[in-house]
Amino acid sequence: MTSDFASSPCLWQLIGTHNGTFHCDEALAVYLLRQTPAYQNADLTRTRDPKVLDACDIVVDVGAVYDPEKLRFDHHQRGFEHSFENGFGTKLSSAGLIYKYAHCPFLLEISELMTKPRHYGKEIISGRLGLAPEDPKVQILWLKMYKEFIEAIDGIDNGVQQYPADISPKYRSRTDLSSRVGWLNPAWNQSVDPKTVDTQFEKASNLTGEEFIGRLDYYANAWLPARDIVKEGLHARATVDTSGHIILFEQFCPWKEHLFELEQELAIAENQKPFYIIYPDETAGNWRIQAVPQSPDSFISRKALPEPWRGVRDEELSKVTGVPGGIFVHASGFIGGNQTMAGALQMARLALQM
């Protein structure tokens, strides 16, 4: 790769990882490093030769050493049990190690040289979004990206089961990112000369990186802005209904995860939490009333829509509820629809009393 004297604080850095069959974790680790000023122009060597690795500026996924001070990030050695912490317990792979923490020697202040820890993940996020590293949004996105993107890569590479081993999966999944990286390795009857495999590794690294950046952009530009909308709706819920159990959104946004996090942050008591969310279905031109689940991934609602309404549609629904403009109520009672905001709100108020 060519060097950029204007933007790179150190030229011709060398990243080391293992040769042979490659995996998603080191492919992503290498990509992440190349998104930082320190390693954006770095070359890569793939080897297991200790002497060659010793000459590298940073080593990931090989060498049987985890030592941030020396920029060595392997996770295969006996006794390694590091996790992301922050509520996560999955053992880290090289991807999680680089994302979570690294010791970065490329600092502006000479007095801080080789003394100050640096989160590469936060550095990438803040740089991508043009935010200061200490901006609260960086912390939120750093945790979100680990939860939704990197933890699974850590778990798969370390052989961590998603569920008890005695439960047989009902289907096979081979379309996750780790599997797709695996398919880029040469087949048993294809050439495995180092140049061919290294070329395929670069393809794998770019694949993981494109998906990482795409997901980060979505969470930064679509998911995170919804948080302010949910927070505003949560604060204003008593003006919608004095019970405080109904939230009204003037536009649809992804609300579920934000709601549960904000309820915890604001220490909202159980008897004050919302039961129903009302929002426009902008594609259909009508309104929805959705019951809040007991947890973000639960199919059980805090208070499902009334049983007599479930599975009923259109005019029949309007007759059963006494509210004009009825469209439907799902058979499980977790969601319903009305032609107008006023109708959806009236349904929610009636449901609170039933």
Side-chain angles (χ1 to χ4, degrees):
M1 298 179 66
T2 60
S3 297
D4 184 347
F5 285 84
S7 60
S8 181
C10 192
L11 304 178
W12 301 301
Q13 295 297 301
L14 184 60
I15 301 169
T17 191
H18 63 81
N19 57 0
T21 301
F22 50 79
H23 308 97
C24 189
D25 70 313
E26 79 266 18
L28 179 59
V30 169
Y31 182 89
L32 293 177
L33 286 171
R34 285 171 165 170
Q35 305 313 298
T36 67
Y39 299 104
Q40 66 180 354
N41 295 314
D43 288 328
L44 174 70
T45 185
R46 300 182 68 247
T47 182
R48 294 184 184 274
D49 185 332
K51 292 182 179 179
V52 176
L53 292 173
D54 285 344
C56 294
D57 297 284
I58 188 167
V59 176
V60 298
D61 210 45
V62 67
V65 174
Y66 169 57
D67 188 343
E69 300 295 323
K70 296 180 179 179
L71 299 175
R72 295 302 184 258
F73 296 94
D74 197 9
H75 65 105
H76 296 99
Q77 59 274 19
R78 180 186 290 271
F80 180 93
E81 294 295 338
H82 292 270
S83 70
F84 194 71
E85 300 175 313
N86 296 286
F88 299 95
T90 302
K91 182 179 175 180
L92 295 174
S93 68
S94 62
L97 280 172
I98 291 300
Y99 184 77
K100 177 190 177 184
Y101 171 79
H103 192 280
C104 183
F106 306 105
L107 298 167
L108 296 178
E109 297 294 332
I110 298 299
S111 62
E112 294 180 319
L113 190 65
M114 295 297 290
T115 62
K116 185 176 180 181
R118 188 87 156 259
H119 292 278
Y120 281 141
K122 289 183 178 179
E123 182 176 345
I124 293 165
I125 292 168
S126 63
R128 176 73 179 178
L129 304 179
L131 299 173
E134 62 273 13
D135 191 305
K137 293 179 181 178
V138 173
Q139 175 74 7
I140 292 171
L141 291 168
W142 183 62
L143 294 173
K144 179 68 171 175
M145 285 294 294
Y146 185 77
K147 178 181 179 180
E148 304 292 354
F149 193 87
I150 292 180
E151 185 179 22
I153 296 172
D154 285 345
I156 290 170
D157 195 78
N158 283 303
V160 179
Q161 293 277 6
Q162 284 184 286
Y163 43 80
D166 59 348
I167 298 178
S168 299
K170 292 185 179 296
Y171 56 87
R172 290 168 61 87
S173 174
R174 293 294 183 270
T175 57
D176 59 275
L177 183 56
S178 293
S179 295
R180 284 182 282 127
V181 166
W183 286 111
L184 289 174
N185 281 283
W188 69 272
N189 53 357
Q190 293 179 321
S191 172
V192 291
D193 70 274
K195 185 176 181 180
T196 297
V197 181
D198 287 352
T199 298
Q200 290 300 105
F201 177 86
E202 292 290 354
K203 290 182 181 179
S205 187
N206 288 333
L207 172 64
T208 64
E210 288 172 3
E211 297 209 9
F212 176 89
I213 294 298
R215 191 73 64 87
L216 173 59
D217 286 348
Y218 169 79
Y219 288 137
N221 300 319
W223 176 82
L224 188 57
R227 187 179 183 87
D228 292 335
I229 296 175
V230 176
K231 189 172 186 178
E232 182 179 344
L234 190 59
H235 283 309
R237 68 191 189 283
T239 65
V240 176
D241 187 84
T242 55
S243 68
H245 293 317
I246 301 173
I247 291 179
L248 173 65
F249 295 136
E250 297 288 349
Q251 65 180 104
F252 172 78
C253 67
W255 56 268
K256 196 176 298 182
E257 186 175 8
H258 292 306
L259 176 63
F260 282 90
E261 290 178 355
L262 288 167
E263 286 178 339
Q264 184 175 4
E265 289 178 15
L266 299 172
I268 296 177
E270 287 295 323
N271 64 355
Q272 297 177 354
K273 291 181 177 179
F275 291 159
Y276 301 119
I277 308 294
I278 296 173
Y279 58 85
D281 182 347
E282 295 168 346
T283 59
N286 49 49
W287 286 77
R288 293 285 183 264
I289 169 176
Q290 186 167 344
V292 177
Q294 291 183 358
S295 66
D297 298 318
S298 174
F299 292 107
I300 302 174
S301 302
R302 288 176 177 172
K303 185 175 178 60
L305 293 171
E307 195 280 332
W309 301 0
R310 300 176 195 173
V312 184
R313 302 186 63 87
D314 304 324
E315 286 299 322
E316 188 63 26
L317 178 61
S318 295
K319 291 178 182 179
V320 172
T321 63
V323 180
I327 298 176
F328 79 100
V329 170
H330 191 274
S332 68
F334 89 96
I335 195 170
N338 193 280
Q339 294 176 6
T340 68
M341 180 181 71
L345 180 56
Q346 189 176 354
M347 288 175 66
R349 287 171 173 162
L350 288 171
L352 289 176
Q353 308 304 318
M354 297 176 68

